[in-house]
Amino acid sequence: MSFVEYSDHIQEGDVAIIYLGHDSMMPVKVQQGAQTQTRYGAIRHSTDLIGKRYGSKVTCSKGGWVHVLHPTPELWTVTLPHRTQILYTTDIAMITMMLELRPGSVVCESGTGSGSLSHAILRTIAPTGHLHTVEFHQQRAETAAQEFRQHRVDHLVTVRNQDVCKDGFGVTGVADAVFLDIPSPWEAVKHAEAAMKTQGGRLCSFSPCIEQVQRTCEALAHQGFEEISTLEVLLRVHDVRTVSLPLPDFGSLPSESPERTAAVAVKTTTPPREIPGHTGYLTFATRART
Amino acid sequence: MADNGDDDSQYRIKEGDYVVLKRGDIFKAAQIQLKKKVIFEKQWIYLDNAVGHFYRTTFEIGSGGTLHPKKSKELESSTAAKEAGTDNRNIVDDGKSQKLTRDDIEMLKEQGLKGQEIIQQLIDNSSTFKDKTEYAQDKYIKKKKKKYENTVMILKPSCRILAMMYHGREPGKICHLRHDTLAQMLTLANVHAGSKVLVFETCSGLVLGAVMERMGGFGSVIQMYPGGEPLRPGVESFGFPSHFHDMLHEFPICHVNALLAGTLDTKAKDPNTGTASPPLINLEQSILTTGDSQQNKPEVKQQGRSAEEQSMEASSDANRSDDQAKEDREKRKEAKSQERKVKLEEKRKKMAAAAALLEGRNADGLVIASRFHPCPVLLGLLKFLAPSRPFVVYSQHKEPLIECYTKLKEVGGTVSLRLTDTWLRHYQVMPNRTHPLLLMSGGGGYVLSGITVSVDHSKAAGSPQAEEPAPKKLKLTNTEG
């Protein structure tokens, strides 16, 4: 297993995702002799996981069963331990495309946070790209670095524990893309520019409040960034349902037989009762070559 | 800042490059060919002069459609107004505020005035301009710029730009797939370097190109195609380096059943021995239809073709004068059949290579975006995926995906099914004038995503025939117990 390469069988040291049911998943570190408790009973790693194929059905001690899935950045995003607010797949997908990330891209990111976006970036830029990620919170930086080692992607990433607004990204003239998810991104725009290749590159800033967007856009324009564009992308999930619509009784006509269908079944979708209405504004910009 | 000259060359426009032209929010894909006219925004232009310049250079379009690199920011400040009103209480729409007539403007154009100069003239001759508020003045200038400025920027193609271009210009050709939806698909399918991805699309090759871009030449992409030939005009626009094409394979969807049943014979050599296997006969048919670009049903196409051939023969019969012509025709016929044989052999080899990749049934991802009903496509192609691999199906409409969802729940072998769409909203961000854009895209299509799992064998044993009586038996055992 690695987050950037599929493998068929579960091995010791892997992170496997236990799929318990709709929207219910948990990550496990696979270790000889270890056990994981689920609501369907215990899973014994040595016999139930190691050597099994990813995607297999595993019967737990109470007779219930679960599926074991290969980790992906998307599954990690919905199961990872939160140390901060995180970015979710909908925004990540948009960021990845709009920053034009691909194998070989060199990316700067701050802050690292819980590493939700970092894993998605690493997946996309592997095997020849590199991620320089900056996190000013020491413990978070250390935990992220540890996670990258565990997920076997540490050769693709450098974690720096410093303040991006004061000290920048720790690299200059190397980045194809810069991503900012910090409270005052406008203070980091200069450093973002310094980190970028002289031939130019793309920038994205994620901010929940419009005032932050306003200041960031001003800073970007002032710094000579082009193609400044702010957008918002929201996910709508459609729950597939069969609904039964009863037919009113109009009273039977003399010619009709008395048995009539009393309802019509319709396959349709319903929106969830509550949906996330706002995550953040995404501001993109291009830096022309200088 | 550690650049060497060599590294820089890939940032310069070269002859033969595939590029994207941009003005405002309008894009157009083109290839840099010398002395070739390109039409963009109702203007003929020659791209010759762009060669050697850096990408993202803005060019002014001169007379005769030649390009001249625009001096940076030579005009941005000149239109800044000094006077401005505070509100519009005294502005009357009498249709007489512009002193220049349509003829005057045409004359200015003929004199070869630059767009910027025409705009300045319009401002100078507008009696209400200086009474307008600062914001209204800004808006006025922007509007005029859009109309009179003759510039074009040349960009390097990317999935981002091409997806926006297709959605803006020809949404019908890509099944109205909006770029944010495409972004979701690439991410949900975990498309990345080193994997083996199946793609079935009728989006001009945009989706295929997007998948190839994300794989960076590492791994393999197998395009499952309908009809006689894989269609991928959009892939060219990406301008991929040639080694990217080594990872691209193709397999005709009409042979999927044979491949699944194990009856596909990709080794048979000679189609003329009476015992030719059925796939080869099909192959020959599909090659006959190669000339047609549309992907209609092969049988229909072939009928049309043979009718054409018949009429050709009839007309040549009419002037059966000289033997020379007959001989020539004979020769051409032979050359053609030879050519066809070579093509057939090539195609057989390609199919065999793709079949070998598919046979392991261990693909890492599946991406479907087509104008066909997604249900049979999905159920058929899912069989080639390894367990614990993601798949995504796009459809412009929601109902077919509801059906897919229901069928997948019935058949089993998948988890984490989600039917979604995304909502995209753009913002105007300006000092004191920040708000969502007035117009937004109504819909970018729907996506069904999920993950494969190992098929439950106890369930699989209950094959369709056995399923009918099963519930009765169950009930019986229940009452006994």
Coordinates of all heavy atoms in Angstrom, one line a residue, chain B residues 219-297:
Chain B
G219 N 1.9 4.6 -16.6 CA 0.7 3.7 -16.5 C 0.1 3.5 -17.8 O 0.7 3.7 -18.8
S220 N -1.2 3.1 -17.8 CA -1.9 2.9 -19.1 C -3.3 3.3 -19.0 O -4.0 3.2 -18.0 CB -1.8 1.4 -19.5 OG -2.0 0.5 -18.4
V221 N -3.8 3.8 -20.2 CA -5.1 4.2 -20.3 C -5.7 3.4 -21.5 O -5.1 3.3 -22.5 CB -5.3 5.7 -20.8 CG1 -6.7 6.1 -20.9 CG2 -4.6 6.6 -19.8
I222 N -6.8 2.7 -21.2 CA -7.5 1.9 -22.3 C -8.8 2.6 -22.6 O -9.7 2.7 -21.8 CB -7.7 0.5 -21.8 CG1 -6.4 -0.1 -21.3 CG2 -8.3 -0.3 -23.0 CD1 -6.6 -1.2 -20.3
Q223 N -8.8 3.1 -23.9 CA -10.1 3.8 -24.3 C -11.0 2.7 -24.9 O -10.6 2.0 -25.9 CB -9.8 4.9 -25.4 CG -11.0 5.6 -25.8 CD -10.8 6.6 -26.9 OE1 -9.7 6.6 -27.6 NE2 -11.8 7.4 -27.2
M224 N -12.1 2.5 -24.3 CA -13.1 1.6 -24.8 C -14.0 2.5 -25.8 O -14.5 3.5 -25.4 CB -14.0 1.1 -23.7 CG -13.3 0.6 -22.5 SD -12.2 -0.8 -22.8 CE -13.4 -2.1 -23.0
Y225 N -14.0 2.1 -27.1 CA -14.7 3.0 -28.0 C -15.9 2.4 -28.7 O -15.8 1.2 -29.0 CB -13.7 3.6 -29.0 CG -13.1 2.6 -29.9 CD1 -13.6 2.3 -31.1 CD2 -11.9 2.0 -29.5 CE1 -13.0 1.3 -31.9 CE2 -11.3 1.0 -30.3 CZ -11.8 0.7 -31.5 OH -11.2 -0.2 -32.3
P226 N -16.9 3.1 -29.0 CA -18.0 2.6 -29.8 C -17.7 2.9 -31.3 O -16.9 3.7 -31.6 CB -19.2 3.5 -29.3 CG -18.5 4.8 -29.0 CD -17.1 4.5 -28.6
G227 N -18.4 2.1 -32.1 CA -18.2 2.3 -33.6 C -16.9 1.8 -34.1 O -16.3 1.0 -33.4
G228 N -16.5 2.3 -35.3 CA -15.4 1.7 -36.0 C -14.0 2.2 -35.5 O -13.1 1.4 -35.6
E229 N -13.9 3.4 -35.0 CA -12.7 4.0 -34.7 C -12.8 4.8 -33.4 O -13.8 5.4 -33.2 CB -12.2 4.9 -35.8 CG -11.7 4.3 -37.0 CD -10.3 3.7 -36.8 OE1 -9.3 4.5 -36.7 OE2 -10.1 2.5 -36.8
P230 N -11.7 4.8 -32.6 CA -11.8 5.7 -31.5 C -11.7 7.2 -31.9 O -10.9 7.5 -32.8 CB -10.6 5.4 -30.6 CG -9.6 4.7 -31.6 CD -10.4 4.1 -32.7
L231 N -12.6 8.0 -31.4 CA -12.6 9.4 -31.8 C -12.0 10.2 -30.7 O -12.5 10.2 -29.6 CB -14.1 9.9 -32.1 CG -14.6 9.6 -33.4 CD1 -16.1 10.1 -33.5 CD2 -13.8 10.2 -34.5
R232 N -11.0 11.0 -31.0 CA -10.4 11.8 -30.0 C -9.8 13.1 -30.5 O -8.6 13.3 -30.3 CB -9.4 10.9 -29.2 CG -8.5 10.0 -30.2 CD -7.5 9.3 -29.4 NE -7.8 7.9 -29.0 CZ -7.1 6.9 -29.3 NH1 -5.9 7.0 -30.0 NH2 -7.4 5.7 -28.9
P233 N -10.6 13.9 -31.2 CA -10.0 15.1 -31.7 C -9.5 16.0 -30.6 O -8.5 16.7 -30.8 CB -11.1 15.8 -32.5 CG -12.4 15.2 -31.9 CD -12.0 13.8 -31.5
G234 N -10.1 16.0 -29.5 CA -9.7 16.9 -28.4 C -8.4 16.5 -27.8 O -7.7 17.4 -27.2
V235 N -8.0 15.3 -27.9 CA -6.7 14.9 -27.3 C -5.6 15.6 -27.9 O -4.6 16.0 -27.2 CB -6.5 13.3 -27.4 CG1 -5.2 12.9 -26.9 CG2 -7.6 12.6 -26.6
E236 N -5.7 15.8 -29.2 CA -4.6 16.5 -29.9 C -4.4 17.9 -29.4 O -3.3 18.4 -29.2 CB -5.0 16.7 -31.4 CG -3.9 16.3 -32.3 CD -4.4 16.2 -33.8 OE1 -5.1 17.1 -34.2 OE2 -4.2 15.1 -34.3
S237 N -5.5 18.6 -29.0 CA -5.4 20.0 -28.5 C -4.6 20.1 -27.3 O -4.1 21.2 -26.9 CB -6.8 20.5 -28.2 OG -7.6 20.4 -29.3
F238 N -4.4 19.0 -26.5 CA -3.6 19.0 -25.3 C -2.1 19.2 -25.6 O -1.3 19.6 -24.8 CB -3.8 17.7 -24.5 CG -5.0 17.7 -23.6 CD1 -6.2 17.4 -24.2 CD2 -5.0 18.1 -22.3 CE1 -7.4 17.3 -23.4 CE2 -6.1 18.0 -21.5 CZ -7.3 17.7 -22.1
G239 N -1.7 18.8 -26.9 CA -0.3 18.9 -27.3 C 0.6 18.0 -26.5 O 1.7 18.5 -26.1
F240 N 0.2 16.8 -26.2 CA 1.0 15.9 -25.3 C 2.3 15.6 -26.0 O 2.3 15.4 -27.2 CB 0.3 14.6 -25.0 CG -0.9 14.8 -24.1 CD1 -2.1 14.3 -24.4 CD2 -0.7 15.5 -22.9 CE1 -3.2 14.4 -23.5 CE2 -1.8 15.6 -22.0 CZ -3.1 15.1 -22.4
P241 N 3.4 15.4 -25.3 CA 4.6 14.9 -25.9 C 4.3 13.5 -26.4 O 3.5 12.8 -25.9 CB 5.6 14.8 -24.7 CG 4.8 15.0 -23.5 CD 3.6 15.7 -23.8
S242 N 5.1 13.0 -27.4 CA 4.8 11.8 -28.1 C 4.8 10.6 -27.2 O 4.0 9.7 -27.4 CB 5.7 11.6 -29.3 OG 7.0 11.6 -28.8
H243 N 5.6 10.6 -26.2 CA 5.6 9.3 -25.4 C 4.3 9.1 -24.6 O 4.1 8.0 -24.1 CB 6.8 9.4 -24.4 CG 6.7 10.3 -23.3 ND1 7.2 11.6 -23.3 CD2 6.2 10.2 -22.0 CE1 7.0 12.2 -22.2 NE2 6.3 11.4 -21.4
F244 N 3.5 10.2 -24.4 CA 2.2 10.0 -23.7 C 1.3 9.0 -24.5 O 0.5 8.3 -24.0 CB 1.5 11.3 -23.6 CG 1.8 12.1 -22.4 CD1 3.1 12.3 -22.0 CD2 0.8 12.7 -21.7 CE1 3.4 13.1 -20.9 CE2 1.1 13.4 -20.5 CZ 2.4 13.6 -20.1
H245 N 1.5 9.0 -25.8 CA 0.7 8.2 -26.7 C 1.0 6.7 -26.5 O 0.3 5.8 -26.9 CB 0.7 8.6 -28.1 CG 0.0 10.0 -28.3 ND1 -1.3 10.1 -28.5 CD2 0.5 11.2 -28.2 CE1 -1.6 11.4 -28.5 NE2 -0.5 12.1 -28.3
D246 N 2.2 6.4 -26.0 CA 2.6 5.0 -25.8 C 1.7 4.3 -24.7 O 1.6 3.1 -24.7 CB 4.1 4.9 -25.4 CG 5.0 5.5 -26.4 OD1 4.6 5.6 -27.6 OD2 6.2 5.8 -26.1
M247 N 1.2 5.1 -23.8 CA 0.4 4.5 -22.7 C -1.1 4.4 -23.1 O -1.9 3.9 -22.4 CB 0.5 5.3 -21.5 CG -0.1 6.7 -21.5 SD -0.2 7.4 -19.8 CE -1.1 8.9 -20.1
L248 N -1.4 4.9 -24.3 CA -2.8 4.9 -24.7 C -3.1 3.7 -25.5 O -2.5 3.4 -26.6 CB -3.1 6.2 -25.5 CG -4.5 6.4 -26.0 CD1 -5.5 6.4 -24.9 CD2 -4.6 7.7 -26.8
H249 N -4.1 2.9 -25.1 CA -4.6 1.7 -25.8 C -6.0 1.9 -26.1 O -6.7 2.8 -25.6 CB -4.4 0.5 -24.9 CG -3.0 0.3 -24.5 ND1 -2.1 -0.5 -25.2 CD2 -2.3 0.8 -23.4 CE1 -0.9 -0.5 -24.6 NE2 -1.0 0.3 -23.5
E250 N -6.5 1.1 -27.1 CA -7.9 1.2 -27.4 C -8.5 -0.2 -27.6 O -7.8 -1.1 -28.0 CB -8.0 2.0 -28.7 CG -7.2 1.4 -29.9 CD -6.8 2.4 -30.9 OE1 -6.4 3.5 -30.6 OE2 -7.0 2.1 -32.1
F251 N -9.8 -0.3 -27.3 CA -10.5 -1.6 -27.5 C -11.9 -1.3 -27.8 O -12.6 -0.5 -27.2 CB -10.4 -2.4 -26.1 CG -11.0 -3.8 -26.3 CD1 -10.1 -4.8 -26.7 CD2 -12.3 -4.1 -26.0 CE1 -10.6 -6.1 -26.9 CE2 -12.8 -5.3 -26.2 CZ -11.9 -6.4 -26.6
P252 N -12.4 -1.9 -28.9 CA -13.8 -1.6 -29.4 C -14.8 -2.2 -28.4 O -14.7 -3.4 -28.0 CB -13.9 -2.3 -30.7 CG -12.8 -3.3 -30.8 CD -11.7 -2.9 -29.8
I253 N -15.8 -1.4 -28.0 CA -16.8 -1.9 -27.0 C -17.6 -3.1 -27.6 O -18.1 -3.9 -26.8 CB -17.6 -0.7 -26.6 CG1 -18.4 -1.0 -25.3 CG2 -18.6 -0.3 -27.7 CD1 -17.9 -0.1 -24.2
C254 N -17.7 -3.2 -28.9 CA -18.5 -4.3 -29.5 C -17.9 -5.6 -29.3 O -18.5 -6.7 -29.5 CB -18.7 -4.0 -31.0 SG -17.2 -3.9 -31.9
H255 N -16.6 -5.7 -28.8 CA -16.0 -7.0 -28.5 C -15.9 -7.3 -27.0 O -15.3 -8.3 -26.6 CB -14.6 -7.0 -29.1 CG -14.6 -7.0 -30.6 ND1 -15.6 -7.6 -31.3 CD2 -13.7 -6.6 -31.5 CE1 -15.4 -7.4 -32.6 NE2 -14.2 -6.8 -32.8
V256 N -16.5 -6.4 -26.2 CA -16.5 -6.6 -24.8 C -17.1 -8.0 -24.3 O -16.5 -8.7 -23.6 CB -17.1 -5.5 -24.0 CG1 -17.4 -5.8 -22.6 CG2 -16.2 -4.3 -24.0
N257 N -18.2 -8.3 -24.9 CA -18.9 -9.5 -24.5 C -18.1 -10.7 -24.9 O -18.0 -11.7 -24.1 CB -20.3 -9.6 -25.2 CG -21.3 -8.8 -24.5 OD1 -21.2 -8.5 -23.3 ND2 -22.4 -8.4 -25.2
A258 N -17.5 -10.7 -26.1 CA -16.6 -11.8 -26.5 C -15.4 -11.9 -25.5 O -15.1 -13.0 -25.1 CB -16.2 -11.6 -27.9
L259 N -14.9 -10.8 -25.2 CA -13.7 -10.8 -24.3 C -14.1 -11.4 -22.9 O -13.4 -12.2 -22.3 CB -13.2 -9.4 -24.1 CG -11.9 -9.3 -23.3 CD1 -10.7 -10.0 -23.9 CD2 -11.5 -7.8 -23.1
L260 N -15.3 -11.0 -22.4 CA -15.7 -11.4 -21.1 C -16.1 -12.9 -21.2 O -15.8 -13.7 -20.2 CB -17.0 -10.7 -20.7 CG -16.7 -9.2 -20.2 CD1 -18.0 -8.5 -20.0 CD2 -16.0 -9.3 -18.9
A261 N -16.6 -13.4 -22.3 CA -16.9 -14.8 -22.4 C -15.7 -15.7 -22.8 O -15.8 -16.9 -22.8 CB -18.0 -15.0 -23.5
G262 N -14.6 -15.0 -23.1 CA -13.4 -15.7 -23.4 C -13.4 -16.3 -24.8 O -12.6 -17.2 -25.2
T263 N -14.3 -15.8 -25.7 CA -14.3 -16.3 -27.0 C -13.7 -15.3 -28.0 O -13.7 -15.5 -29.2 CB -15.8 -16.5 -27.5 OG1 -16.5 -15.2 -27.4 CG2 -16.5 -17.5 -26.7
L264 N -13.1 -14.3 -27.5 CA -12.4 -13.3 -28.4 C -11.1 -13.9 -28.9 O -10.2 -14.3 -28.1 CB -12.2 -12.0 -27.7 CG -11.5 -10.9 -28.5 CD1 -12.5 -10.4 -29.6 CD2 -11.0 -9.8 -27.7
D265 N -11.0 -14.0 -30.2 CA -9.7 -14.6 -30.8 C -8.9 -13.5 -31.4 O -9.3 -12.9 -32.4 CB -10.1 -15.6 -31.8 CG -8.9 -16.3 -32.3 OD1 -7.8 -16.0 -31.8 OD2 -9.0 -17.1 -33.3
T266 N -7.9 -13.1 -30.7 CA -7.1 -12.0 -31.3 C -5.8 -12.5 -32.0 O -5.0 -11.7 -32.4 CB -6.6 -11.0 -30.1 OG1 -6.0 -11.9 -29.1 CG2 -7.7 -10.3 -29.6
K267 N -5.7 -13.8 -32.1 CA -4.5 -14.4 -32.7 C -4.7 -14.8 -34.1 O -3.7 -14.9 -34.9 CB -4.0 -15.6 -31.8 CG -3.3 -15.1 -30.6 CD -2.9 -16.2 -29.7 CE -2.5 -15.6 -28.3 NZ -3.6 -15.4 -27.4
A268 N -5.9 -15.0 -34.5 CA -6.2 -15.5 -35.9 C -5.5 -14.5 -36.9 O -5.7 -13.3 -36.7 CB -7.7 -15.6 -36.2
K269 N -4.8 -15.0 -37.9 CA -4.1 -14.2 -38.8 C -4.8 -13.8 -40.0 O -4.9 -12.7 -40.4 CB -2.7 -14.9 -39.1 CG -1.7 -14.6 -38.1 CD -0.7 -13.5 -38.6 CE 0.0 -12.8 -37.4 NZ 1.0 -13.6 -36.7
D270 N -5.3 -14.9 -40.7 CA -5.8 -14.6 -42.1 C -7.3 -14.5 -42.1 O -8.0 -15.5 -41.9 CB -5.3 -15.8 -43.0 CG -5.6 -15.5 -44.4 OD1 -6.0 -14.3 -44.7 OD2 -5.4 -16.4 -45.3
P271 N -7.8 -13.4 -42.4 CA -9.2 -13.2 -42.5 C -9.9 -13.9 -43.7 O -11.1 -14.0 -43.7 CB -9.4 -11.7 -42.6 CG -8.2 -11.2 -43.2 CD -7.1 -12.1 -42.8
N272 N -9.1 -14.4 -44.6 CA -9.7 -14.9 -45.8 C -9.9 -16.4 -45.8 O -10.6 -17.0 -46.6 CB -8.8 -14.6 -47.0 CG -8.7 -13.1 -47.3 OD1 -9.7 -12.5 -47.0 ND2 -7.6 -12.7 -47.8
T273 N -9.3 -17.1 -44.8 CA -9.7 -18.5 -44.6 C -11.1 -18.6 -44.2 O -11.5 -17.8 -43.3 CB -8.8 -19.2 -43.6 OG1 -9.0 -18.5 -42.3 CG2 -7.3 -19.2 -44.0
G274 N -11.8 -19.5 -44.7 CA -13.3 -19.6 -44.5 C -13.6 -19.7 -43.0 O -14.7 -19.3 -42.6
T275 N -12.6 -20.1 -42.2 CA -13.0 -20.3 -40.8 C -12.7 -19.1 -39.9 O -12.4 -19.2 -38.7 CB -12.1 -21.5 -40.2 OG1 -10.8 -21.2 -40.5 CG2 -12.6 -22.8 -40.9
A276 N -12.6 -17.9 -40.5 CA -12.3 -16.7 -39.8 C -13.2 -16.6 -38.6 O -14.4 -16.8 -38.7 CB -12.4 -15.5 -40.6
S277 N -12.6 -16.2 -37.5 CA -13.4 -16.1 -36.2 C -14.3 -14.9 -36.3 O -14.0 -13.9 -37.0 CB -12.5 -16.0 -35.0 OG -11.6 -14.9 -35.3
P278 N -15.4 -15.0 -35.6 CA -16.4 -13.9 -35.7 C -15.8 -12.5 -35.4 O -16.1 -11.6 -36.1 CB -17.5 -14.2 -34.7 CG -17.3 -15.7 -34.4 CD -15.9 -16.1 -34.8
P279 N -15.0 -12.4 -34.4 CA -14.4 -11.0 -34.1 C -13.8 -10.4 -35.4 O -13.9 -9.2 -35.6 CB -13.4 -11.2 -33.0 CG -13.8 -12.5 -32.4 CD -14.5 -13.3 -33.5
L280 N -13.1 -11.2 -36.1 CA -12.4 -10.7 -37.3 C -13.3 -10.2 -38.3 O -13.0 -9.2 -39.0 CB -11.4 -11.7 -37.9 CG -10.1 -11.8 -37.1 CD1 -9.3 -13.0 -37.5 CD2 -9.3 -10.5 -37.4
I281 N -14.4 -10.9 -38.5 CA -15.4 -10.4 -39.5 C -15.9 -9.1 -39.0 O -16.0 -8.1 -39.8 CB -16.6 -11.4 -39.6 CG1 -16.1 -12.7 -40.2 CG2 -17.7 -10.8 -40.4 CD1 -17.0 -13.9 -40.2
N282 N -16.2 -9.0 -37.8 CA -16.6 -7.7 -37.2 C -15.5 -6.6 -37.4 O -15.8 -5.5 -37.8 CB -16.8 -7.8 -35.7 CG -18.1 -8.5 -35.4 OD1 -19.0 -8.6 -36.3 ND2 -18.3 -9.0 -34.2
L283 N -14.3 -7.0 -37.3 CA -13.2 -6.1 -37.4 C -13.2 -5.5 -38.8 O -13.1 -4.3 -39.0 CB -11.9 -6.8 -37.2 CG -11.1 -6.5 -36.0 CD1 -9.7 -7.2 -36.0 CD2 -10.9 -5.0 -35.8
E284 N -13.4 -6.4 -39.8 CA -13.3 -6.0 -41.2 C -14.5 -5.0 -41.4 O -14.3 -3.9 -42.1 CB -13.5 -7.1 -42.1 CG -13.1 -6.8 -43.5 CD -12.5 -8.0 -44.3 OE1 -12.9 -9.1 -43.9 OE2 -11.8 -7.8 -45.2
Q285 N -15.6 -5.3 -40.9 CA -16.7 -4.4 -41.0 C -16.4 -3.0 -40.4 O -16.6 -2.0 -41.1 CB -17.9 -4.9 -40.2 CG -18.7 -5.9 -41.0 CD -19.9 -6.4 -40.3 OE1 -20.1 -6.0 -39.1 NE2 -20.7 -7.2 -40.9
S286 N -15.8 -3.0 -39.3 CA -15.5 -1.7 -38.6 C -14.5 -1.0 -39.4 O -14.5 0.3 -39.4 CB -15.1 -1.9 -37.2 OG -14.0 -2.8 -37.1
I287 N -13.6 -1.7 -40.1 CA -12.6 -0.9 -40.9 C -13.3 -0.3 -42.1 O -12.9 0.8 -42.5 CB -11.4 -1.8 -41.3 CG1 -10.5 -1.9 -40.1 CG2 -10.7 -1.3 -42.5 CD1 -9.5 -2.9 -40.1
L288 N -14.3 -1.0 -42.7 CA -15.0 -0.4 -43.8 C -15.6 0.9 -43.4 O -15.8 1.8 -44.3 CB -16.1 -1.4 -44.2 CG -15.6 -2.5 -45.2 CD1 -16.7 -3.5 -45.4 CD2 -15.1 -1.9 -46.5
T289 N -16.0 1.0 -42.2 CA -16.7 2.2 -41.8 C -15.7 3.3 -41.3 O -16.2 4.4 -40.9 CB -17.7 1.9 -40.6 OG1 -16.9 1.5 -39.5 CG2 -18.7 0.9 -41.0
T290 N -14.4 3.0 -41.4 CA -13.5 4.0 -40.8 C -13.6 5.4 -41.4 O -13.4 6.3 -40.7 CB -12.0 3.5 -41.2 OG1 -12.0 2.1 -40.7 CG2 -11.0 4.3 -40.5
G291 N -13.9 5.5 -42.7 CA -13.9 6.8 -43.3 C -14.9 7.7 -42.7 O -14.8 8.9 -42.8
D292 N -16.0 7.2 -42.1 CA -17.0 8.0 -41.6 C -16.6 8.5 -40.2 O -16.1 7.8 -39.4 CB -18.3 7.3 -41.5 CG -18.7 6.7 -42.9 OD1 -19.2 7.5 -43.7 OD2 -18.5 5.5 -43.1
S293 N -16.9 9.8 -40.0 CA -16.5 10.3 -38.7 C -17.5 10.1 -37.6 O -17.2 10.0 -36.4 CB -16.2 11.8 -38.8 OG -17.3 12.5 -39.3
Q294 N -18.8 10.0 -38.0 CA -19.8 9.9 -37.0 C -19.9 8.4 -36.5 O -19.6 7.5 -37.3 CB -21.2 10.3 -37.5 CG -21.3 11.8 -37.6 CD -21.0 12.5 -36.3 OE1 -21.6 12.1 -35.3 NE2 -20.1 13.5 -36.2
Q295 N -20.3 8.2 -35.3 CA -20.4 6.8 -34.8 C -21.8 6.3 -34.8 O -22.4 6.0 -33.8 CB -19.9 6.8 -33.4 CG -18.6 7.6 -33.2 CD -18.4 8.0 -31.7 OE1 -19.4 8.1 -31.0 NE2 -17.2 8.1 -31.3
N296 N -22.3 6.1 -36.0 CA -23.6 5.5 -36.1 C -23.4 4.0 -36.1 O -22.3 3.5 -35.9 CB -24.3 5.9 -37.4 CG -24.7 7.4 -37.3 OD1 -25.0 7.8 -36.2 ND2 -24.6 8.0 -38.4
K297 N -24.5 3.3 -36.2 CA -24.5 1.8 -36.2 C -23.7 1.4 -37.4 O -24.0 1.8 -38.5 CB -25.9 1.3 -36.1 CG -26.5 1.4 -34.8 CD -27.8 0.7 -34.7 CE -28.5 1.0 -33.4 NZ -29.9 1.5 -33.6

